[in-house]
């Protein structure tokens, strides 16, 4: 199976500009392609990981990835999928975030000996002469056509779009033009929410250089209900172990819904498709075998095999009533618990619940346990004498738990 067939069979391809031409190109040439990553945080998250998986599939087939970090476009921020304007960041923050991205991308992509390239669009965007840019590039874009783009249309309907953000499509399109000129880049890839921006880049390359280039978007990582995956009680599912521990990362995928596990296997693992089809035959509690394999494979790719094994062992020990090594922990001072601490306050403090109202709902509905005993009284207080060896297990539902350590 060639890489195009592989991506298609796994359900990774969402839209293409020229399906037949792209398939022939990937089958007959070694193609340079690019995917962009804007440094809006100091870590990539699980949504970016799917993009990294696509890059890896392509690289394994002999094609050359360009990982473009948006040191320039990060000063504006992509309005796609946003209901409000992104927070403005300093140059120092953007540069720092770009460096962190390089570290994380290198875990999946081989940058040795020119097999992949990492570039920063700050190299050509930050020193642009605005008048020259608008005359040369802005004249290629129709405002009427841009306003029909989904990324802009949603913002217009929900309260407005700043002129700053309106420039983003021009900047991303210019990226493709520069990469086409510098590295003979022929394909831009991105999440399906990037379709309008990708079309802008293709059109610009054709207008300015008369080059035939192509665009392809891949499926966003969503649940069977169509919601984006990767949200936890603590926020996004980050690739940085200091933001999302390997254990929390493992547990997220260990606890995906039955209806989502096979799709996740296809999209974000390299488990061979025939093997995935065997997992798809499992029913009832046997589906947990597929979930454990999914969790292990994804954690191994992000955090390494040793951390994946530790997370797997910790999960098995915890649910078997054994040890709790590598379970996420939270330190509580003796002063904080001197007079006891209300269960709702503790849930919020440990971030098992995002708010006190959410904590109240979980307690009253019987979804909270202290030392594996349900707590349904919102007046319940955790006291010092409940700790064994200065530790206490706090659980919300079946998926979220934390070891509270008394210091």
């Amino acid at each position: 199976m060639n890489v195009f067939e592989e991506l298609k069979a796994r359900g990774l391809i969402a839209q293409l500009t020229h399906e037949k031409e792209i398939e022939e190109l990937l089958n007959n040439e070694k193609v340079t392609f690019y995917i962009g990553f804007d440094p809006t945080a100091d870590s990539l998250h699980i949504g970016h990981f799917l993009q990294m998986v696509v890059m890896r599939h392509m690289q394994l087939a002999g094609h050359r990835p360009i990982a473009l970090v948006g040191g320039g476009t990060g000063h504006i921020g992509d309005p796609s999928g946003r209901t409000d304007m992104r927070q403005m960041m300093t140059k120092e923050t953007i540069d720092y975030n770009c460096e962190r991205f390089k570290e994380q991308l290198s875990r999946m992509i081989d940058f040795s000996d020119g097999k992949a390239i990492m570039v920063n669009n700050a190299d050509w965007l930050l020193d642009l002469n605005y008048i020259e840019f608008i005359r040369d590039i802005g004249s290629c874009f129709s405002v009427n056509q841009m306003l029909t783009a989904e990324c802009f249309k949603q913002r217009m309907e929900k309260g407005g779009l700043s002129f700053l953000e309106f420039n983003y499509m021009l900047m991303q399109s210019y990226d493709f033009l520069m990469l086409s000129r510098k590295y003979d880049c022929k394909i831009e890839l991105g999440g399906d929410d990037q379709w309008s921006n990708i079309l802008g880049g293709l059109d610009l390359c054709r207008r300015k250089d008369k080059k035939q280039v192509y665009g392809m978007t891949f499926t966003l990582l969503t649940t069977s209900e169509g919601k984006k995956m990767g949200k936890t009680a603590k926020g996004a599912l980050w690739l940085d172990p200091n933001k999302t521990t390997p254990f929390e990362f493992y547990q997220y995928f260990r606890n995906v819904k039955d209806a989502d596990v096979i799709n996740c296997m296809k999209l974000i693992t390299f488990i061979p498709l025939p093997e995935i089809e065997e997992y798809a035959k499992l029913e009832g509690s046997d589906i947990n075998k597929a979930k454990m394999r999914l969790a292990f494979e994804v954690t191994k790719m992000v955090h390494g095999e040793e951390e994946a094994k530790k997370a797997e062992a910790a999960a098995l020990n915890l649910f078997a009533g054994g040890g709790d090594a590598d379970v996420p922990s939270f330190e509580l001072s003796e002063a904080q618990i001197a007079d006891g601490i209300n269960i709702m306050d503790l849930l919020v403090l440990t971030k098992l619940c995002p708010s006190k109202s959410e904590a109240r709902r979980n307690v009253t509905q019987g979804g909270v346990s202290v030392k594996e005993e349900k707590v349904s009284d919102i007046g319940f207080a955790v006291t010092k004498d409940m700790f064994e060896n200065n530790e206490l297990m706090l659980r919300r539902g079946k998926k979220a738990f934390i070891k509270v350590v008394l210091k």
Side-chain angles (χ1 to χ4, degrees):
M1 187 180 293
N2 61 47
V3 69
F4 186 85
E5 292 171 339
E6 179 85 13
L7 295 176
K8 201 168 184 180
R10 287 179 177 271
L12 280 161
I13 298 176
Q15 300 186 78
L16 306 99
T17 55
H18 305 78
E19 181 169 350
K20 183 180 178 181
E21 291 88 339
I22 290 174
E23 183 173 12
E24 289 180 356
L25 187 66
L26 294 178
N27 287 345
N28 299 315
E29 295 184 28
K30 301 302 182 186
V31 180
T32 297
F33 67 96
Y34 99 92
I35 298 179
F37 301 86
D38 267 353
T40 53
D42 59 1
S43 172
L44 297 166
H45 54 66
I46 193 62
H48 296 119
F49 180 69
L50 185 142
Q51 300 177 48
M52 293 160 68
V53 168
V54 173
M55 293 174 80
R56 183 65 178 158
H57 275 297
M58 294 278 283
Q59 187 178 52
L60 289 172
H63 304 295
R64 183 173 67 160
I66 297 177
L68 177 73
V69 289
T73 44
H75 285 267
I76 296 177
D78 185 359
S80 303
R82 300 282 300 183
T83 57
D84 57 1
M85 185 172 167
R86 294 182 186 274
Q87 291 291 318
M88 301 290 284
M89 297 184 296
T90 64
K91 183 179 185 302
E92 291 72 25
T93 299
I94 292 170
D95 290 345
Y96 174 76
N97 293 351
C98 286
E99 287 301 316
R100 297 302 312 279
F101 281 19
K102 288 181 182 179
E103 296 171 20
Q104 294 176 343
L105 286 164
S106 296
R107 295 176 196 163
M108 285 284 290
I109 310 303
D110 182 4
F111 288 95
S112 67
D113 303 320
K115 296 187 187 76
I117 306 169
M118 188 172 292
V119 296
N120 189 328
N121 63 18
D123 293 345
W124 53 80
L125 290 180
L126 293 189
D127 293 328
L128 282 175
N129 179 297
Y130 186 70
I131 297 299
E132 290 180 6
F133 179 77
I134 289 299
R135 281 175 61 89
D136 186 35
I137 304 302
S139 60
C140 298
F141 288 81
S142 160
V143 171
N144 289 347
Q145 189 173 352
M146 288 175 70
L147 289 175
T148 65
E150 201 61 36
C151 60
F152 292 145
K153 203 162 80 173
Q154 290 180 8
R155 288 294 301 278
M156 294 292 287
E157 291 171 353
K158 294 181 179 179
L161 175 78
S162 73
F163 184 71
L164 178 71
E165 295 170 292
F166 197 59
N167 279 268
Y168 188 89
M169 183 180 287
L170 275 67
M171 299 289 186
Q172 183 168 329
S173 299
Y174 189 66
D175 285 345
F176 199 177
L177 182 65
M178 292 300 292
L179 295 176
S180 172
R181 289 174 175 177
K182 284 174 172 284
Y183 304 106
D184 195 27
C185 180
K186 294 183 178 179
I187 305 178
E188 179 179 358
L189 278 69
D192 203 31
D193 56 346
Q194 293 297 308
W195 183 242
S196 299
N197 289 327
I198 289 174
L199 292 179
L202 267 63
D203 188 56
L204 183 63
C205 289
R206 292 180 189 131
R207 281 172 176 264
K208 300 300 295 182
D209 293 350
K210 304 295 188 281
K211 279 192 175 180
Q212 181 63 56
V213 290
Y214 307 94
M216 181 166 67
T217 65
F218 38 79
T219 309
L220 299 176
L221 192 62
T222 58
T223 66
S224 49
E225 297 93 356
K227 297 179 181 178
K228 280 188 179 181
M229 295 187 74
K231 292 292 184 182
T232 70
K234 295 183 178 181
L237 198 68
W238 301 103
L239 306 190
D240 183 344
N242 295 313
K243 288 177 171 287
T244 300
T245 68
F247 180 81
E248 291 169 322
F249 196 88
Y250 177 94
Q251 280 300 111
Y252 179 86
F253 288 103
R254 170 63 181 82
N255 291 304
V256 297
K257 292 183 178 179
D258 293 359
D260 296 325
V261 62
I262 298 303
N263 192 44
C264 284
M265 276 186 162
K266 290 179 178 179
L267 294 178
I268 55 173
T269 79
F270 290 86
I271 300 172
L273 286 169
E275 196 172 340
I276 293 176
E277 292 306 317
E278 291 301 311
Y279 278 113
K281 297 174 184 177
L282 298 177
E283 297 180 351
S285 61
D286 284 343
I287 295 175
N288 287 323
K289 296 176 184 177
K291 293 183 181 182
M292 291 176 66
R293 178 70 186 280
L294 167 67
F296 183 84
E297 292 294 329
V298 180
T299 306
K300 182 175 72 172
M301 285 189 285
V302 173
H303 297 295
E305 188 168 6
E306 183 179 349
E307 289 296 334
K309 287 179 177 178
K310 286 164 64 177
E312 182 179 59
L316 289 170
N317 287 338
L318 182 69
F319 289 108
D324 55 8
D326 297 316
V327 172
S329 63
F330 177 85
E331 292 187 358
L332 193 68
S333 70
E334 290 200 14
Q336 288 174 294
I337 204 171
D339 300 318
I341 184 169
N342 179 268
I343 186 63
M344 293 189 295
D345 292 332
L346 186 57
L347 286 166
V348 174
L349 192 62
T350 58
K351 296 185 179 179
L352 280 182
C353 289
S355 65
K356 204 162 182 177
S357 59
E358 183 71 9
R360 177 187 292 269
R361 184 182 68 79
N362 276 271
V363 171
T364 55
Q365 292 181 358
V368 174
S369 299
V370 174
K371 297 170 63 176
E372 300 304 323
E373 293 186 12
K374 285 190 180 294
V375 174
S376 56
D377 178 9
I378 59 173
F380 181 87
V382 174
T383 58
K384 185 178 178 180
D385 59 4
M386 295 178 184
F387 286 74
E388 297 179 11
N389 297 320
N390 290 330
E391 296 180 355
L392 174 146
M393 189 64 69
L394 179 65
R395 184 192 298 268
R396 178 183 62 79
K398 294 181 179 180
K399 302 179 181 181
F401 38 83
I402 199 162
K403 178 171 61 179
V404 183
V405 179
L406 194 59
K407 291 292 183 182

